[in-house]
Amino acid sequence: ADLGLGRAALPAEIAAWDKDVSPDGTGLPVGSGSVEDGEMIFSETCASCHGEFAEGVDNWPKLAGGMDTLDHEDPTKTVGSYWPYLSTTFDYVRRSMPFGAAQTISDDDVYAMVAYILYSNDLVEEDFVLSQDNFLEVEMPNADGFIIDDRPQTEYSQFTSDTACYDNCKDSVEITMRAAVLDVTPEETSSPAPALAPAAVVETAPQEPAVEVAPLEPVDIVASFDADLAAKGEKVFKKCKACHQVGEDAKNKTGPILNGVIGAPIAHVDGFKYSKDFLAAKEQGRMWDEALLAEFLAKPKAVFKRTKMSFAGLKKDSEIASVIEYLKSVSQ
Amino acid sequence: APDPLITQVQDWASGTGDGVDATPYGMPIEFESDVIRRNVEWLTADTISSINFTPIHALDGTITPQGCAFERHHSGAIELRKEDYRLMIHGLVDTPLVFTYADLERFPRVNKTFFLECAANTGMEWAGAQLNGAQFTHGMIHNMEYSGVSLRTLLDEAGLTSAGDFKDKWIYVEGADASSNGRSIPLEKALDDVMIAFKANGEALRKEHGYPVRLVVPGWEGNLWVKWLRRIEVTAQAIESREETSKYTDTLEDGTARKWTWVMDAKSVVTSPSPQAPITHGKGPLVVTGLAWSGRGAITGVDVTIDGGKTWQKARLAAAGQPMALTRFYLDIDWDGSEMFVQSRCHDDTGYVQPTKNQLRDVRGLNSVYHNNCIQTWWVKETGEAENVEVS
């Protein structure tokens, strides 16, 4: 039935949303990008979660490696070892990455990032340039690794009601595995326990602070501000942007808002769920001064072992100094 | 001695309670504050791309309240106003169309109740008993009554003459959030029973469930139920995007993987007694209860064992099973206070019976991640406490 509801979609509107790319290349935009450029962009944009070599950080996805592990215990599924189509990588990077700033990458840069991911999987050489022309020539190692759901043939005939047993179904019943042995069930920490179920609740002792440091006075930030250095820091801050926002409309994302962080007490942002280490530091009255922030930015986990920040750290002292200067500029 | 709760006048029987203005939109009473969604922190890198679990151990009946129905986001739950909402239908249609939210409310409406189960529900249990609680082992599920429009109605409005033969055509559905979570669905399924929903359990969808509009794909894995639905493209092929290749594919023992494993097979679990819902009253009358569901049809029966599967009894269904919706079952027993190995197994109207974990492992190995619909065992001890175990 034609109810005459809605209106015609305009070509420009369809073009704006119809970004999906299919295995046969349908939807690929015109463009190209090199492994060399991709390495730089990847380091800036992706490495904080996926690692400099696409090897993954913490629980974030590994994008490289894992070849020939699919039939092992706990296989490593990466773009190289598992993904059957290159189109999927392009499509996903272009539409959904980077985390926290999706759809901000140019098509050429997407080609370059995909080229670098291929390189990190040893699937192309370092001088490789990916484009819409050679896109379909790239061979994905696990292209033939998939079968269409075969449960109707392999399982349904086995699991039938007709043969369900009701009496004398087995002689003995022994425990072969207990969840209490692995003990990975989340513990209740804050929410009230069900009054009648003491057995289900595990009390946790307060965590010991990781580092003992005396409370510090807030630093005077205005006296020492270098605008040129801050401008450099704004560029370095791109690495942080996937998780942290600054400015008037900033919101907590994967990481907390960083407005006014310098000179502020640790864990000062309302509504962000900090790690236990941060909360312990807050209890002690510790502050973010330049020295602590510099140490933290160099190697976060060395300062707060259980920080939620998966970023591995800034390598250059100059980057650290400039990004701290930039953060001063968003301190008001 | 006489019970002072009876013999003495209590405050609540003498003074007054809250007025009608106290809670314009109510939350559960404070004594129920443990009935909440819970997260398993080590599962994912970040709560913004993560999942939590419905407290099924503490609920009864079949409808899941929206406020504690599990959430799964790939890029966080976004705020999208109805006024800013647009739905585009394009591709192999006669007229590509854009609808506003107000347009959608003018189409003939349907009301249907369906379960939504994440394909990864029970996925942490492949290699062994791991998480201690029905919420954690089976809580990636909810069941709601949806109000909305059948997708067929919307596709007809755009016209499908251009699509030619429906048999080899697809739709690609995409959300408005930054993950732009997209999936390919065969056009035949889309025209069969898929709907777009804007109300659940009578009220607007919650933000975390895709307000203002989500897709409903009865019986099929939750990842297909795209939230904040913004685009439906009729295509000649599956797009094979990230959520249908790198994820939501089931790796078998030899390293090959099944794809397009959309349907959720029949499954059941005893929700009480269970690790988070131990027996606290000692021996005597005991209500054993749980949930059963099948993505392939209606539940026709549920069997319960308390001896680890030596003998099985038929449980009582609270109501006849409805297709692709949760069914509540009860077994009323006289508990003698000795330890029990409690399991449930369900049957659906295709003649399928829920398999054991070992039966599934024999076919698939340990690396499938998704679609674990095995029989669950709770070891209920003499104290009434329960633990997640596997038995021979």
Side-chain angles (χ1 to χ4, degrees), chain A residues 3-4 7 9 20 72 82 88 95-96 147 150 155-156 161 165 174 176-178 185 188 196 254, chain B residues 38 46 98 132 157 172 174 179 231 233 240 249 258-259 265 280 345 347 351 364 367 387 390 392:
Chain A
L3 298 177
R7 62 164 176 85
D20 53 81
H72 297 191
Y82 194 62
T88 310
R95 284 197 289 145
S96 311
I147 55 169
D150 64 351
E155 297 184 9
Y156 292 166
S161 280
C165 171
E174 306 296 334
T176 54
M177 179 90 187
R178 292 179 57 179
T185 309
E188 291 289 328
L196 293 173
T254 302
Chain B
R38 289 182 175 84
D46 193 301
V98 172
N132 226 359
E157 186 73 15
Y172 186 70
E174 179 191 84
S179 79
R231 189 166 75 92
E233 178 181 11
E240 303 281 9
T249 47
R258 290 174 176 163
K259 68 172 186 177
D265 286 327
T280 54
R345 82 178 170 209
H347 308 256
R364 305 187 200 169
N367 292 333
E387 185 182 329
E390 288 184 13
S392 55

Side-chain angles (χ1 to χ4, degrees), chain B residues 195-388:
Chain B
M195 61 186 279
I196 59 149
F198 28 83
K199 295 274 165 70
N201 301 342
E203 61 179 355
L205 292 171
R206 295 288 170 89
K207 173 173 81 172
E208 61 269 33
H209 300 130
Y211 179 94
V213 175
R214 83 170 313 163
L215 198 68
V216 169
V217 190
W220 288 20
E221 62 191 19
N223 184 256
L224 296 153
W225 298 46
V226 170
K227 299 190 288 189
W228 314 289
L229 178 71
R230 79 169 190 183
R231 189 166 75 92
I232 301 167
E233 178 181 11
V234 179
T235 65
Q237 58 182 323
I239 302 301
E240 303 281 9
S241 55
R242 188 242 194 186
E243 303 290 351
E244 47 201 356
T245 53
S246 100
K247 304 291 173 186
Y248 304 97
T249 47
D250 315 349
T251 307
L252 302 171
E253 197 155 27
D254 66 0
T256 60
R258 290 174 176 163
K259 68 172 186 177
W260 303 349
T261 48
W262 302 301
V263 74
M264 302 307 297
D265 286 327
K267 182 165 169 180
S268 70
V269 65
V270 170
T271 52
S272 178
S274 66
Q276 296 160 291
I279 305 170
T280 54
H281 53 61
K283 62 183 183 180
L286 170 70
V287 173
V288 177
T289 186
L291 293 165
W293 60 94
S294 170
R296 297 169 65 209
I299 292 295
T300 51
V302 179
D303 308 320
V304 171
T305 176
I306 59 171
D307 56 19
K310 290 181 192 166
T311 59
W312 292 83
Q313 311 175 55
K314 286 186 195 296
R316 171 169 60 86
L317 303 187
Q322 297 297 311
M324 297 163 286
L326 291 192
T327 301
R328 169 67 58 178
F329 66 85
Y330 296 103
L331 185 71
D332 307 299
I333 66 169
D334 184 13
W335 184 41
D336 64 6
S338 61
E339 69 170 12
M340 297 186 282
F341 293 99
V342 179
Q343 303 175 335
S344 64
R345 82 178 170 209
C346 63
H347 308 256
D348 72 17
D349 59 9
T350 69
Y352 178 93
V353 66
Q354 183 181 2
T356 65
K357 207 186 272 187
N358 283 335
Q359 282 179 303
L360 286 177
R361 285 171 177 158
D362 286 347
V363 185
R364 305 187 200 169
L366 297 177
N367 292 333
S368 274
V369 182
Y370 305 102
H371 294 281
N372 186 347
N373 65 318
C374 70
I375 292 172
Q376 170 67 42
T377 309
W378 304 126
W379 175 26
V380 181
K381 300 161 199 180
E382 290 167 350
T383 58
E385 293 165 58
E387 185 182 329
N388 177 10

Side-chain angles (χ1 to χ4, degrees), chain A residues 108-128:
Chain A
D108 283 343
D109 285 356
V110 175
Y111 275 108
M113 288 152 90
V114 174
Y116 180 70
I117 294 169
L118 288 171
Y119 173 71
S120 64
N121 277 288
D122 299 324
L123 296 174
V124 298
E125 299 298 321
E126 61 190 331
D127 59 355
F128 180 74

